[in-house]
Amino acid sequence: MDSERLETLGQHIQAALSGSVTGYEIARGELTVRGKAADVVTIATYLRDAVPCQFACIIDITAVDWPAREQRFDLVYHFLSPQLNQRVRVKVMTDEETPVPSLIEVFRGADWFEREAYDLYGVLFTGHPDMRRLLTDYGFEGHPLRKDFPLTGFVEVRYDDEEKRVKYEPVRLAQEFRTFDFLSPWEGTDYLLPGDEKAKGS
């Protein structure tokens, strides 16, 4: 879709939803609309029902984690209009405690997408009929796609052959994490080997 049509669509959406949409941008041939999290149902309903839009399909809901930010999550919705052969992305911001209204009454397909965002990022949704984990195991601790989630996780799962059952145990590392300086064996900070002077430009 050419940028002129995307610009027209972005202006139309912002004008129609001036209280809910905070802005839009066009990058790499795609339209991204930024809105208020509390008004996401209003935005999605308009995108589905308005004649210039007709975004009848929800393609995906995901999140992006920015741990240093006060509202650490960008919640990202992707919609498709088969009638007009165009897509739109909607981004809203939220934090760890503030729930976002569920889109399940507007798009039934939002069901598992919202559960996945809750499971992997910890984003909460209000009005969802079955807000529980989707991909991780029962008893899983934390949300694995958050950037502060440890690579080892908190719990390891193993099958105990003697007890003939699955056991959950806290992760125990055999050694502490090591710090690597990423220097080759031929380099060092306190000495020079033959040839090092060339690499260091001396």
Side-chain angles (χ1 to χ4, degrees):
M1 186 177 197
D2 60 67
S3 57
E4 190 174 319
R5 288 176 62 198
L6 289 175
E7 183 69 32
T8 302
L9 181 61
Q11 289 175 358
H12 173 83
I13 293 170
Q14 186 166 24
L17 300 169
S18 57
S20 302
V21 170
T22 58
Y24 70 92
E25 58 197 40
I26 299 167
R28 299 179 186 85
E30 296 180 355
L31 174 65
T32 301
V33 175
R34 293 195 169 271
K36 299 176 182 175
D39 296 338
V40 72
V41 173
T42 302
I43 296 169
T45 303
Y46 182 82
L47 292 176
R48 183 193 66 185
D49 297 341
V51 174
C53 300
Q54 301 181 53
F55 292 101
C57 299
I58 188 163
I59 301 300
D60 189 27
I61 302 172
T62 188
V64 182
D65 185 17
W66 305 95
R69 209 170 64 182
E70 186 176 347
Q71 289 186 297
R72 72 181 288 177
F73 300 114
D74 277 339
L75 199 56
V76 186
Y77 300 82
H78 294 96
F79 300 98
L80 169 68
S81 172
Q83 186 74 20
L84 303 178
N85 189 28
Q86 60 191 32
R87 298 171 185 264
V88 68
R89 178 186 300 113
V90 175
K91 285 187 180 181
V92 301
M93 291 193 300
T94 189
D95 56 32
E96 297 176 66
E97 286 83 31
T98 308
V100 177
S102 172
L103 289 190
I104 203 161
E105 295 301 322
V106 183
F107 291 98
R108 290 295 299 171
D111 186 350
W112 281 19
F113 293 143
E114 291 177 347
R115 284 180 60 188
E116 182 181 23
Y118 162 68
D119 188 2
L120 300 181
Y121 290 95
V123 175
L124 302 170
F125 295 89
T126 55
H128 193 288
D130 189 21
M131 189 88 281
R132 58 193 168 98
R133 291 185 181 270
L134 179 68
L135 299 174
T136 56
D137 198 8
Y138 302 109
F140 190 90
E141 294 178 27
H143 303 280
L145 288 189
R146 288 188 179 185
K147 290 182 180 169
D148 53 6
F149 187 81
L151 294 176
T152 59
F154 298 108
V155 178
E156 62 181 350
V157 181
R158 68 177 182 86
Y159 181 77
D160 190 303
D161 203 36
E162 291 179 6
E163 296 185 28
K164 304 293 186 203
R165 69 180 185 94
V166 173
K167 293 183 75 172
Y168 294 84
E169 298 172 340
V171 171
R172 281 173 288 156
L173 300 176
Q175 68 178 34
E176 293 295 324
F177 283 113
R178 293 170 54 193
T179 302
F180 296 95
D181 60 12
F182 298 106
L183 295 174
S184 80
W186 306 109
E187 296 175 356
T189 55
D190 300 328
Y191 54 86
L192 284 176
L193 292 175
D196 278 0
E197 62 278 358
K198 295 179 185 175
K200 296 180 185 303
S202 39

